[in-house]
Amino acid sequence: MVGGLAKRAFRYERRRPEVTTLYRVVQENVETLFSAVSEGAVSVSLPGFVRKELSSYLECGLLCRGFARLRCGACAESRVVAFSCKGRGFCPSCLGRKMSATAANLVEHVMPRAPLRQWVLTMPFGWRARLGYDGKLLAALLRIFTRTVLAFYKERSGGESGVVSVIQRTQSDLRLNPHVHAVFVDGGFAVSEDAPLRFTSLGHLRTREVGEVLERASARMRQYLSKRGLLGGVEAEEVEAADEAPESSQETRGHAELCGSAASGQSPPAGPQWKKKEGSKPLAHVATTATVLEGSQCASKDGFTLHAATCAGAEDEGGRERLLRYVLRPAVAQERIQRTEEGLVRIALKKPWSDGTVAVELDPLSLLCRLAASVPPPKLHTVRYAGVLGSASKLRSRVVPTPVASGGTRVEDGEPMCKRKGRYRPWAELMMRALKLDVLECPRCRGRMKLLSLVTDVAEAGRFARKLGDPPALPPRAPARGPPYWQSRALRRLAGAAA
Ligand SMILES: [Zn+2]
Ligand SMILES: [Zn+2]
């Protein structure tokens, strides 16, 4: 009996996203946010792609918006799987699925059988807002960083390394903090005449070397910025970012302000922290500072930090996939978000801050602004390849793993989503990898389930959802509250004083 129940609990079930705290907070506050923005009560604007992302998140995983039906060929047992929003910013479910897909693809088709090392670069505080909305600038700085590290690998190993880098946009409290997780092949491939590629591993990495890499990268980034006349402006801080907006359209300015407030965690849309951190001091300007070596394989300089201590061995399959999943992980984990009695939202931190803070509390509108800022600008690729893994590299085809003959894994015909071009992975396989579940296994007879139909008609989907006890229509969004829009008493007082 107990065994049976436990097994059942591990089978795939509908997600019921509408009962999660995150969903409810968005559902209850999104119209208020839109209204506060249009009334000018919050000095930010929400670009179209951000509004769209907030809205489609509210439809993600709900049967009434469409779904796929699966049926067991042997015993006619059937199940349904709702469509998802494919969000790029914060939808925990969609980003979790993307994490699994990308990590699996990297392990099987991209990363050479060589040791891997993660290099994590964080940017000076005063640059974060700008890098939040200026995708081109962020991409340029990322390129400078990866080239610097690739050059270091060449010096040390005599060969060419490669890297897949991932741009993460937020920190643990969801403040905007664009930073880079780059997984390098930890060594270099040397090309020699008529011989196979020879790989030399980096071996021990000294903390001093991490410091030197950071010094070079920092100097090159500054040089790049000052050549373009950006350094003064970016350094001038106090998030006057709007003035340097790439195109000074209204919307870009508003997006800049949104990113500014989401990076500082302070100005209007932000709420009081649960435990006040003594003014998380913004750098007045990014001064040149001496390199500080911290602990093992960590260094900081000029407001940057660089960590390079995490590795995974060439043969450590589990460790490699875990590392890649880690660098690709979604910003928000459902279980870190709770509501307080006063109607605020508490975000539990992944690790306590050095001052002992374990969680922050925000006004719901502040949370929504942080979620909004977490959506990457359209066209900004958040996963990039360089060195021997770059698409232009002549060595790429010689270092990537040779594809396994597809005898082992059958291509399932029961894909609930339409096939896409490129490396789209069967959904069922992803669920298997991510959750160790076999969603195409019939819960009754253990036979294989097949895709029966896709239901995209909303009326039909609604009727079906009702039959299954799911909401027959989208849960209505709470209507906009009037001013003061805030739940937080401190912010209400502020709003009252300003009026
Ligand atoms: Zn069956
Ligand atoms: Zn989604």
Side-chain angles (χ1 to χ4, degrees):
M1 183 68 193
V2 173
L5 275 178
K7 249 182 223 154
R8 262 196 103 74
F10 279 99
R11 289 217 177 92
Y12 177 76
E13 297 296 337
R14 273 176 289 137
R15 292 194 285 117
R16 295 196 173 276
E18 76 280 10
V19 304
T20 63
T21 307
L22 183 63
Y23 185 94
R24 291 208 166 137
V25 172
V26 175
Q27 176 198 15
E28 287 168 20
N29 294 282
V30 71
E31 288 300 331
T32 302
L33 177 66
F34 289 170
S35 156
V37 167
S38 66
E39 297 295 317
V42 187
S43 64
V44 303
S45 80
L46 300 169
F49 68 90
V50 169
R51 284 172 187 264
K52 191 161 168 270
E53 179 119 347
L54 285 164
S55 298
S56 34
Y57 166 68
L58 291 174
E59 305 189 3
C60 183
L62 282 160
L63 284 182
C64 57
R65 302 304 294 175
F67 56 87
R69 290 169 71 190
L70 307 175
R71 180 179 285 172
C72 174
C75 76
E77 170 89 9
S78 66
R79 55 173 44 189
V80 293
V81 179
F83 295 155
S84 56
C85 75
K86 300 181 186 73
R88 304 175 71 220
F90 59 87
C91 176
S93 159
C94 290
L95 291 169
R97 176 161 173 261
K98 197 165 152 200
M99 166 185 76
S100 300
T102 311
N105 180 47
L106 289 172
V107 166
E108 280 173 22
H109 302 291
V110 180
M111 299 317 264
R113 283 262 158 217
L116 304 177
R117 181 185 295 274
Q118 177 189 218
W119 296 67
V120 184
L121 178 74
T122 62
M123 301 288 183
F125 186 90
W127 295 9
R128 293 178 188 172
R130 172 69 183 257
L131 296 176
Y133 68 86
D134 190 344
K136 270 193 197 145
L137 186 60
L138 178 58
L141 298 187
L142 169 59
R143 228 166 8 246
I144 293 170
F145 168 65
T146 51
R147 281 186 192 154
T148 307
V149 183
L150 287 170
F152 165 74
Y153 273 107
K154 178 132 198 189
E155 265 168 46
R156 270 284 305 273
S157 71
E160 309 287 335
S161 178
V163 58
V164 50
S165 38
V166 178
I167 297 171
Q168 287 278 355
R169 291 180 63 83
T170 55
Q171 58 191 45
S172 180
D173 62 355
L174 298 182
R175 258 189 285 171
L176 180 68
N177 177 6
H179 60 284
V180 180
H181 289 253
V183 178
F184 281 82
V185 175
D186 201 27
F189 293 94
V191 192
S192 45
E193 294 292 314
D194 57 271
L197 288 178
R198 191 169 43 82
F199 179 76
T200 309
S201 121
L202 186 73
H204 180 64
L205 173 67
R206 284 178 284 273
T207 304
R208 181 174 52 75
E209 293 173 308
V210 178
E212 286 163 9
V213 169
L214 180 57
E215 280 164 11
R216 281 183 232 168
S218 166
R220 284 176 194 167
M221 288 186 208
R222 283 164 169 280
Q223 200 181 17
Y224 174 90
L225 294 171
S226 75
K227 252 194 214 156
R228 279 155 190 79
L230 291 170
L231 199 50
V234 175
E235 278 196 355
E237 217 286 313
E238 280 316 312
V239 195
E240 295 308 345
D243 297 338
E244 282 96 41
E247 308 114 35
S248 48
S249 71
Q250 197 77 32
E251 182 159 289
T252 311
R253 288 180 69 93
H255 195 210
E257 279 158 1
L258 174 70
C259 291
S261 90
S264 69
Q266 311 266 330
S267 41
Q273 295 184 351
W274 187 33
K275 180 164 179 268
K276 238 339 191 213
K277 196 181 176 203
E278 239 338 277
S280 54
K281 274 188 220 90
L283 299 171
H285 65 104
V286 183
T288 316
T289 60
T291 309
V292 180
L293 305 179
E294 303 165 36
S296 170
Q297 296 159 337
C298 298
S300 62
K301 178 181 171 51
D302 306 352
F304 293 94
T305 62
L306 181 59
H307 294 237
T310 310
C311 298
E315 302 303 324
D316 180 6
E317 261 181 67
R320 295 158 74 79
E321 189 156 352
R322 266 196 306 282
L323 175 59
L324 292 162
R325 290 171 63 87
Y326 173 79
V327 307
L328 291 156
R329 75 203 177 286
V332 195
Q334 211 68 266
E335 61 277 7
R336 291 204 290 120
I337 298 199
Q338 282 183 328
R339 278 214 271 204
T340 71
E341 283 161 21
E342 309 88 78
L344 303 185
V345 185
R346 178 176 302 161
I347 309 174
L349 302 176
K350 286 184 254 185
K351 267 194 307 211
W353 286 338
S354 54
D355 69 349
T357 305
V358 295
V360 294
E361 280 183 6
L362 302 177
D363 189 276
L365 296 190
S366 307
L367 176 77
L368 260 59
C369 285
R370 290 189 187 183
L371 294 178
S374 77
V375 185
K379 287 189 212 156
L380 174 69
H381 295 293
T382 53
V383 180
R384 289 156 180 267
Y385 305 87
V388 294
L389 301 181
S391 53
S393 169
K394 288 193 195 93
L395 296 184
R396 191 179 209 270
S397 59
R398 297 175 66 186
V399 301
V400 300
T402 36
V404 189
S406 59
T409 45
R410 265 178 307 144
V411 176
E412 295 298 344
D413 48 3
E415 279 185 53
M417 311 258 168
C418 58
K419 285 203 181 74
R420 306 241 208 94
K421 56 184 188 299
R423 294 229 171 85
Y424 181 76
R425 301 180 67 88
W427 173 86
E429 187 195 332
L430 295 176
M431 294 298 287
M432 283 277 287
R433 294 185 80 111
L435 307 169
K436 305 266 185 278
L437 293 177
D438 185 354
V439 293
L440 288 186
E441 184 185 271
C442 172
R444 201 191 289 170
C445 76
R446 313 211 136 207
R448 303 303 292 172
M449 304 195 87
K450 288 189 170 182
L451 177 65
L452 196 63
S453 61
L454 293 175
V455 176
T456 51
D457 177 69
V458 177
E460 191 188 345
R463 282 194 296 276
F464 202 88
R466 186 198 302 276
K467 251 198 263 172
L468 292 184
D470 244 48
L474 269 195
R477 299 178 190 182
R481 295 184 298 277
Y485 304 94
W486 313 99
Q487 299 283 357
S488 146
R489 256 176 271 141
L491 287 175
R492 290 172 82 97
R493 264 201 303 280
L494 273 178

